[in-house]
């Protein structure tokens, strides 16, 4: 048994030891605040008071006070990790945190035509085009790309070392010969610095400034307005890999997913299994006659 404050501080310290990204650390701080305040309002000061009944009551509170199910699940995911940590440390008895059911949406991805437009725009003298090429080729997150350094590229072997990841585990990802070649040309022409990419003022990109730069370029290329942001490149990468029968376990390692169920969504959406059953449909061979 220990105080709630000590348990929370211990949890955040454990996250630091695991080298979680600043964004992930902020995610836990922001989304656990509601739960901590809720406990304080009920005069809960010891972890021993955190039980299944109490967390069920908190879930009911969220459902009644937060209209958006996606937001509710955001709070619950943070809480689930906190609860799992407390359980592992034997500060509480096991408690199950169930997410609320929410309608899944198919997120937009680039079409083959979009990809062709993007790739045709790539020039070694244009850092924005090189950024988009790398996003399409590797599928890394924006925060990882912002932290890339020139020395993270293994030009001789054709690999990129992603040091900053969401779960704190570095990744070593292959890049094609063509991508390696133009990336090397870009570095020779532009990079007399440590970071691979910088803003026009010589600062490090953050998620917002990177998204702003990407969106401006996508509009200039004539790509539909709803296809924007940095994460669409990652979704497109996952779609292409799944459509080309990349094993789920391989894609999981590539994406750096801790939970294979997250990776499985790409396979479920874009894998060939459903498409391959087309010939079994009773409407196969049907032709519309005007």
């Amino acid at each position: 048994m220990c105080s709630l404050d000590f348990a929370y501080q211990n949890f955040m310290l454990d996250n630091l030891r695991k080298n979680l990204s600043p964004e992930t650390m902020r995610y836990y701080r922001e989304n656990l605040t509601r739960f901590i305040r809720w406990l304080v309002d009920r005069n809960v000061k010891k972890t021993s008071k955190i039980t299944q009944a109490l967390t069920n009551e908190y879930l009911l509170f969220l459902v009644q006070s937060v209209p958006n199910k996606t937001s509710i699940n955001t709070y619950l995911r943070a809480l689930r990790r906190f609860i799992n940590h407390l359980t592992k440390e034997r500060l509480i008895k096991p408690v199950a945190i169930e997410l609320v059911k929410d309608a899944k949406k198919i997120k937009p991805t680039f079409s083959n035509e979009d990809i062709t437009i993007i790739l045709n725009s790539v020039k070694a003298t244009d850092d924005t085009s090189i950024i988009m090429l790398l996003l399409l080729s590797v599928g890394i997150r924006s925060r990882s790309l912002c932290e890339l350094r020139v020395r993270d590229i293994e030009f001789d072997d054709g690999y990129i070392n992603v040091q900053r990841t969401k779960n704190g585990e570095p990744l070593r990802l292959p890049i094609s010969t063509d991508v390696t070649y133009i990336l090397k040309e870009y570095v020779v022409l532009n990079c007399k610095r440590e970071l691979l990419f910088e803003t026009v003022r010589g600062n490090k990109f953050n998620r917002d400034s990177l998204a702003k730069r990407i969106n401006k370029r996508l509009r200039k290329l004539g790509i539909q307005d709803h296809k924007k942001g940095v994460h669409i490149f990652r979704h497109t990468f996952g779609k292409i890999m799944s459509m080309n029968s990349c094993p789920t376990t391989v894609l999981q390692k590539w994406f750096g997913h801790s939970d294979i169920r997250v990776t499985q969504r790409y396979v479920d959406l874009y894998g060939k299994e459903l498409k391959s059953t087309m010939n079994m449909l009773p409407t196969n061979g049907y032709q519309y006659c005007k």
Side-chain angles (χ1 to χ4, degrees):
M1 182 178 68
C2 70
S3 70
L4 182 62
D5 182 66
F6 174 84
Y8 172 76
Q9 297 301 330
N10 181 263
F11 169 70
M12 296 304 291
L13 183 61
D14 184 62
N15 289 336
L16 278 176
R17 286 195 293 264
K18 291 179 178 177
N19 195 31
L20 298 188
S21 69
E23 291 83 1
T24 304
M25 294 289 290
R26 183 169 62 249
Y27 163 79
Y28 287 123
R29 281 196 301 271
E30 292 176 353
N31 292 291
L32 283 175
T33 298
R34 182 181 288 261
F35 178 63
I36 300 297
R37 289 177 177 172
W38 184 84
L39 292 178
V40 171
D41 289 343
R42 281 151 184 78
N43 200 32
V44 176
K45 299 179 180 180
K46 300 291 184 180
T47 56
S48 59
K49 299 294 184 180
I50 301 178
T51 62
Q52 187 69 64
L54 187 70
T55 55
N56 288 346
E57 186 182 344
Y58 177 65
L59 173 58
L60 180 61
F61 163 75
L62 288 178
V63 171
Q64 293 175 340
S65 61
V66 181
N68 188 291
K69 289 183 179 179
T70 301
S71 297
I72 293 175
N73 284 334
T74 299
Y75 291 125
L76 291 177
R77 287 188 182 94
L79 175 60
R80 182 166 59 186
R81 175 113 197 294
F82 180 52
I83 291 295
N84 289 341
H85 171 78
L86 297 183
T87 304
K88 182 180 178 181
E89 295 292 315
R90 298 183 179 181
L91 297 175
I92 65 171
K93 293 181 179 180
V95 172
I97 304 295
E98 298 291 339
L99 303 183
V100 298
K101 290 186 177 181
D102 193 10
K104 299 292 183 181
K105 296 181 181 179
I106 299 178
K107 297 180 179 179
T109 56
F110 293 124
S111 65
N112 290 338
E113 182 182 358
D114 295 331
I115 294 172
T116 299
I117 291 173
I118 292 171
L119 295 181
N120 286 341
S121 73
V122 175
K123 298 177 183 178
T125 55
D126 178 14
D127 62 343
T128 305
S129 69
I130 298 295
I131 288 173
M132 294 193 298
L133 173 66
L134 203 54
L135 288 170
L136 275 176
S137 302
V138 186
I140 61 176
R141 293 183 172 91
S142 59
R143 64 171 67 94
S144 299
L145 184 134
C146 294
E147 298 286 344
L148 284 179
R149 299 160 298 181
V150 175
R151 67 172 180 265
D152 291 329
I153 312 299
E154 299 180 26
F155 292 105
D156 292 338
D157 296 330
Y159 280 88
I160 181 170
N161 295 309
V162 183
Q163 305 291 352
R164 175 66 72 178
T165 61
K166 186 175 182 179
N167 62 11
E169 296 292 331
L171 297 170
R172 185 172 182 260
L173 303 175
I175 47 179
S176 70
T177 302
D178 289 337
V179 173
T180 303
Y181 178 84
I182 195 167
L183 195 57
K184 187 173 184 178
E185 186 178 355
Y186 162 77
V187 168
V188 170
L189 291 173
N190 301 279
C191 290
K192 297 179 180 178
R193 55 181 185 256
E194 181 180 7
L195 287 172
L196 187 61
F197 302 112
E198 290 182 349
T199 67
V200 292
R201 295 183 178 181
N203 300 320
K204 182 171 69 174
F205 278 104
N206 57 40
R207 287 192 295 179
D208 292 337
S209 60
L210 183 63
K212 185 177 180 179
R213 171 79 72 89
I214 293 295
N215 290 341
K216 183 178 179 180
R217 178 57 58 87
L218 291 176
R219 286 194 298 269
K220 187 175 181 180
L221 292 175
I223 293 176
Q224 293 175 320
D225 286 343
H226 73 282
K227 297 179 180 181
K228 58 184 179 180
V230 181
H231 220 61
I232 186 175
F233 289 86
R234 186 171 169 88
H235 290 307
T236 301
F237 180 89
K239 179 184 76 171
I240 293 173
M241 296 290 277
S242 297
M243 290 178 67
N244 285 278
S245 303
C246 175
T248 309
T249 52
V250 174
L251 188 57
Q252 179 193 14
K253 291 180 180 178
W254 195 304
F255 270 158
H257 287 155
S258 300
D259 190 341
I260 198 171
R261 290 175 296 182
V262 178
T263 316
Q264 187 65 42
R265 296 172 190 168
Y266 289 94
V267 180
D268 292 342
L269 279 174
Y270 305 115
K272 290 184 176 180
E273 288 82 359
L274 290 178
K275 187 70 172 179
S276 64
T277 63
M278 183 65 70
N279 293 333
M280 300 170 59
L281 295 177
T283 53
N284 181 46
Y286 171 77
Q287 293 182 345
Y288 172 67
C289 299
K290 294 182 180 180

